[in-house]
Amino acid sequence: MNENDALIEVHRGNHIESAHHVHIAVVDSAGTLLHYAGNSNKNIYARSSMKPIQAIPIVETGAADYYEFSDADLSLCTASHSGEAMHTDRVTSILKRVGIDDTKLQCGTHIPRWQETYKNLIKNDKEVTPLFNNCSGKHTGMLATAMFMGEPINTYYELDHPVQQRIMQTVSEICDYPQEDIEVGIDGCGVPVHGLPLERLAYGFARMANPESLGKERAEHVRRVTKAMTAAPEMVGGTDRFCTDFMIAGKARFFGKAGAEGVYCIGDTQTGLGIAIKVADGNGRAVYPAAMETLVQLGLLENNQIEQLKEYHHPKLKNARNEIIGELIPHFQLKHIALA
């Protein structure tokens, strides 16, 4: 193994059956790379880890105040939720306040992650609608902003729409990365997805964790988003989800957000650190062990928090008989950048 390699090993019995390479960047709120593993400058699509930044314009435009967004409402706008009733009921509530319904959501459909929801839909002979899409909260926030600003709502998801242009500018400003250099693709829910170096993404989360450099007004807006996430973490993920359990264990200190294809980002409001992680092969099973091991090596978690989250640090592998037959084990050491 190369000394810069960071691996999440998959152990079955006494054999390492597979291994996932990961890239990690730890940056402070001044923009200094402090620790890394793998390639901290790797260009990645942030996927849903960008949602906390994408939610900032909902507050900055005045839409959140006008439609009386609670912490839970705003937290849901940053979510990749499980489709539990608490999520879909809240999306419906927000849309009703905005004056539209879920037929305006352009996020597409997929089976809800929460199996009880899916079972109930089948039992009651109901269709899976965009309401159950894990990104329906984000799309609801975008629709609310478009409605408040008097902009077209049928095309809010397109790159040239003012909603997406505001988000693009916000991503550029928060991550301190030129807008023209941001790579643009299409996310799973149809909106633009942003590509930028891993350490710039970590810097964005560091600035959200300590937003003093953003100016007084924007700092207040950013704190409103991160406070909403930690005040209502059940909205960000759901039952038995790392984002939710991590923020509950963190007791309002940390905010964290998963992204598809093995991305995870964390902001620490106590130290002002931002952490960005990318699993090279995109396998999401490796990202939570990587996040936990990074937090442990940085000394950011107390022993009781590590214990509370141990199932994510060393996830057990189970067979079809529900027997434990292996586990995922982080195998890396963060490199420290010596500062002059």
Side-chain angles (χ1 to χ4, degrees):
M1 183 179 73
N2 184 288
E3 66 173 5
N4 287 335
D5 282 352
L7 299 175
I8 305 300
E9 297 175 343
V10 183
H11 290 241
R12 185 184 296 265
N14 296 320
H15 180 63
I16 299 175
E17 186 173 35
S18 305
H20 304 284
H21 289 255
V22 294
H23 305 286
I24 303 167
V26 182
V27 178
D28 66 18
S29 56
T32 304
L33 179 67
L34 301 178
H35 307 272
Y36 73 97
N39 181 4
S40 63
N41 201 44
K42 182 177 178 62
N43 217 59
I44 71 159
Y45 281 125
R47 302 300 297 272
S48 286
S49 290
M50 193 62 82
K51 285 176 178 175
I53 297 177
Q54 289 173 303
I56 295 172
I58 305 169
V59 179
E60 290 190 331
T61 58
D65 284 337
Y66 185 79
Y67 295 117
E68 299 180 338
F69 274 43
S70 64
D71 281 342
D73 294 335
L74 191 55
S75 182
L76 186 62
C77 293
T78 73
S80 298
H81 64 73
S82 294
E84 297 171 66
M86 63 178 171
H87 303 124
T88 54
D89 288 351
R90 189 167 294 278
V91 169
T92 301
S93 173
I94 298 170
L95 290 171
K96 185 176 181 180
R97 271 175 273 151
V98 173
I100 53 180
D101 60 29
D102 62 0
T103 62
K104 300 301 182 184
L105 292 169
Q106 299 288 344
C107 50
T109 62
H110 62 66
I111 294 171
R113 180 174 181 139
W114 189 243
Q115 286 300 298
E116 289 306 310
T117 298
Y118 190 40
K119 290 176 184 177
N120 286 334
L121 287 171
I122 295 173
K123 184 170 62 176
N124 294 301
D125 197 26
K126 292 186 177 180
E127 292 184 7
V128 176
T129 71
L131 188 66
F132 299 96
N133 187 301
N134 76 95
C135 295
S136 64
K138 175 180 73 173
H139 280 248
T140 296
M142 292 174 177
L143 276 167
T145 305
M147 285 288 287
F148 176 73
M149 298 297 288
E151 297 161 352
I153 62 170
N154 292 332
T155 55
Y156 72 88
Y157 62 96
E158 296 179 354
L159 178 60
D160 60 357
H161 192 282
V163 164
Q164 301 305 330
Q165 288 299 303
R166 273 191 297 271
I167 287 173
M168 180 73 75
Q169 183 176 350
T170 302
V171 169
S172 173
E173 292 169 354
I174 297 294
C175 297
D176 192 24
Y177 193 67
Q179 187 168 327
E180 60 271 20
D181 292 340
I182 296 175
E183 293 188 27
V184 179
I186 303 300
D187 216 331
C189 62
V191 299
V193 62
H194 310 91
L196 64 169
L198 191 66
E199 61 90 14
R200 289 291 89 187
L201 184 56
Y203 181 41
F205 270 68
R207 295 183 94 189
M208 290 190 74
N210 176 17
E212 294 301 323
S213 66
L214 299 173
K216 183 178 179 180
E217 187 174 13
R218 172 160 275 181
E220 291 176 356
H221 297 153
V222 166
R223 288 193 184 99
R224 184 169 173 183
V225 172
T226 57
K227 175 183 175 293
M229 294 175 70
T230 58
E234 71 281 358
M235 289 294 122
V236 180
T239 304
D240 297 329
R241 296 285 301 280
F242 179 71
C243 286
T244 295
D245 293 345
F246 169 55
M247 286 189 280
I248 289 173
K251 298 178 180 177
R253 173 177 173 175
F254 305 102
F255 57 97
K257 186 67 194 70
E261 296 295 324
V263 180
Y264 205 83
C265 293
I266 295 167
D268 177 5
T269 61
Q270 184 169 307
T271 63
L273 292 179
I275 301 168
I277 299 166
K278 167 66 178 177
V279 179
D281 63 11
N283 197 321
R285 70 175 177 175
V287 77
Y288 302 138
M292 284 296 300
E293 181 65 16
T294 299
L295 291 162
V296 168
Q297 289 191 26
L298 294 174
L300 300 179
L301 294 177
E302 299 175 359
N303 288 336
N304 67 311
Q305 293 171 317
I306 297 172
E307 176 65 21
Q308 192 173 344
L309 298 167
K310 65 181 180 181
E311 66 182 277
Y312 297 106
H313 194 186
H314 297 97
K316 305 301 182 185
L317 299 177
K318 295 182 179 181
N319 63 13
R321 292 167 48 84
N322 205 35
E323 299 165 333
I324 296 174
I325 45 80
E327 65 179 329
L328 273 66
I329 300 177
H331 186 77
F332 63 87
Q333 185 64 45
L334 292 173
K335 310 300 179 188
H336 176 68
I337 304 294
L339 302 179

